[in-house]
Amino acid sequence: MIVGVDVGTSVTKASLLGRDGSARVTRSTRSTLHRSPGGRVEQDLDEVVDSVITVVRSVAAEADVPVQALAITGQGDGLWLRDAAGRQVGPGLSWLDARAAPVLDRWEARGVLREVHALTGSGMFPGSAGPLLAHVAEHEPERLARAEVAGYCVDAIVQRLTGEITVDASDASQPFLDVPTRSYSTAALQACGLAEFRGLLAEPAPPGKLFALDARSAAELGLPAGLPVSAGPFDLPACAFGSGMRELGDGALVIGTTLGCQVLGEQVTIDPAGDAAGMWLATPSPDRVLRVMPAMVGTANLDWGLRMVGASVADLEDLLAASPPGAGGVAALSFLSSSGERAPFVEPRASGQFTGLSLETSPADLVRALCEAVAYAARHNLEAAGLTGEVAACGGGARSASWSRIFASVLGRPLHVPKEEGVGARGAAMTAWDSLGEPVDREEWATARHVVEPDPAVAEIYERGYRAYLESIERARPVWRSGGGVTR
């Protein structure tokens, strides 16, 4: 048995996982997102660590056989500053934080974003570590003077539980890591004016590295001291592998608050002339990489649409049944995030729109149009990432049978949806078993999924809709860039 932990943005979950990937018991608890003016979104590290202790202690108490390891995954990006003892130096800056948007504007004007993308293949957005570090250096330099580590959520927790200063290569990949060599790009740091802070970046742990649970944390968690601790990969790649991604060219969709679109590859290929979007991530396998397009659209868009029509998630299936494919002629661009869009293109001022509205338009049409738009975004991102194989899907959106059929029909290929929830923790546990030298049967894990088939007739409608969607984006981008229709 392995205890797998997924430290999400607002919910921390722990599961007691068997070697077949099934969860014997799962517990969850919420942590707090602190929002304040200026787009600030922060978290208290002590509260997040306490959430881990709460759920792990609960599931460990129900283990009837010895626990072999503690496997941790969680949210990526953001900036979590700590001292040598793992204490926070100011609150953790969430990946949702938008305070560094002016930094991105300056870097875009100077060509910094394109330069870094050409060096590491990483596109940056306001909540990524690079611009946040630059913002803190400019406005709160005393914090950096007190910090020993500038890292991420997962390694902040691992430092508190083991005393080790480390980072998983997947987290470190964005934005300064040269993924093929797993070393930081000095040129990328210099381009951002952050070379003097290189010493705050922990060295990426080598593949297969395990840490040891210290005595104090062991007592708090109800686990034995010295228990192996696996740190990563962070939640996006963990979900990809936990949902059954295996072969080169396979894709994974994480249909959550945002839309994580990923494709498995064997080498990093950077187009210096392309959009400075997406990222290349190191994986637990040295000969495999992930091309990731983390779009800002997702279930948050659906939640907004449901609120606008006075409905809830419980009404989704009925609403989708009440509107035909194509949403009665209504089409949407679902770029509703205050941070704009970051994949497969970067437009900080991207905004949403509906077209084709009439007096006959129903609330169901509006909701279906939004769901179709998110599915079009998924196809756009997966195609940009190089999809050639099968697609796995997980996250809250994949629990909707009707929305899953929309995704499958837009993609024109089946969706493979895990029967078990908590795929992030499963992916982390899979990595831990590999590190223990006891790899699980990937084929067995891949069969624990159900298949959502596309509807050929509907797929034809969506093929036309997708082409119209791409044309709408091309028409909208000059308007966004000019500031028309939205103020950020």
Side-chain angles (χ1 to χ4, degrees), residues 96-183:
L96 291 167
D97 197 287
R99 75 186 71 184
V103 174
L104 264 293
D105 289 340
R106 294 198 300 269
W107 284 359
E108 182 177 22
R110 295 183 206 150
V112 172
L113 298 185
R114 185 162 295 282
E115 185 177 354
V116 172
H117 179 262
L119 290 164
T120 69
S122 285
M124 290 185 278
F125 68 104
S128 56
L132 286 173
L133 185 60
H135 177 92
V136 174
E138 180 180 354
H139 297 281
E140 300 178 88
E142 71 283 356
R143 285 182 67 178
L144 295 186
R146 291 186 288 120
E148 290 289 332
V149 192
Y152 305 85
C153 179
V154 172
D155 52 271
I157 294 164
V158 171
Q159 185 180 1
R160 292 285 284 268
L161 298 184
T162 70
E164 299 279 357
I165 295 176
T166 185
V167 65
D168 188 76
S170 62
D171 260 322
S173 296
Q174 217 281 341
F176 299 124
L177 199 72
D178 177 73
V179 171
T181 63
R182 298 192 178 219
S183 60

Side-chain angles (χ1 to χ4, degrees), residues 348-431:
R349 292 177 173 80
S351 60
Q353 67 179 43
F354 286 96
T355 57
L357 299 175
S358 72
L359 292 176
E360 285 72 43
T361 296
S362 69
D365 293 330
L366 296 175
V367 171
R368 177 175 272 276
L370 267 182
C371 287
E372 291 174 347
V374 174
Y376 292 144
R379 177 172 170 179
H380 196 189
N381 281 279
L382 286 171
E383 289 182 350
L387 175 70
T388 58
E390 68 178 34
V391 179
C394 63
R399 291 198 290 270
S400 165
S402 297
W403 202 8
S404 293
R405 284 194 295 273
I406 291 173
F407 278 103
S409 297
V410 166
L411 292 170
R413 61 183 74 212
L415 281 189
H416 300 263
V417 182
K419 296 175 183 175
E420 291 268 350
E421 295 185 20
V423 293
R426 294 172 74 218
M430 182 184 291
T431 301

